Amino acid sequence: MLKKIKEIIKSILPSIDISQISESTRFSDDLCFDSINMMVFSIELEETFCFKFSHPVVFETLGDVCGYLDSRI
């Protein structure tokens, strides 16, 4: 799952070195994601993992995303 998430991040930020990304990587502080990046990321998550967000969710780290997806899939 983390590999797929890294691929999504790479598609949004092509210049990022995804080998340095871990579950503790923070979206805003480490990746400098803004609200547009998070919106695109959310859409890509839905398409990649075949689900729809039913309510707003705040992700601080990649680990938060993994935990959320584990509970959904």
Side-chain angles (χ1 to χ4, degrees):
M1 183 171 312
L2 186 58
K3 181 181 176 188
K4 283 284 192 192
I5 294 170
K6 286 181 176 185
E7 290 171 5
I8 293 170
I9 291 170
K10 183 70 172 177
S11 73
I12 296 168
L13 300 174
S15 63
I16 194 128
D17 179 7
I18 60 172
S19 68
Q20 301 299 314
I21 295 174
S22 69
E23 287 193 11
S24 63
T25 300
R26 296 168 299 198
F27 286 98
S28 61
D29 295 338
D30 301 325
L31 298 175
C32 299
F33 261 40
D34 60 18
S35 58
I36 300 295
N37 294 131
M38 283 307 292
M39 182 182 70
V40 171
F41 179 72
S42 298
I43 292 167
E44 291 294 323
L45 280 179
E46 289 179 334
E47 290 177 4
T48 301
F49 294 100
C50 301
F51 77 97
K52 294 286 184 195
F53 286 102
S54 57
H55 60 280
V57 179
V58 176
F59 298 122
E60 295 287 325
T61 67
L62 269 68
D64 294 341
V65 177
C66 290
Y68 180 83
L69 292 174
D70 283 340
S71 71
R72 296 277 313 203
I73 298 174

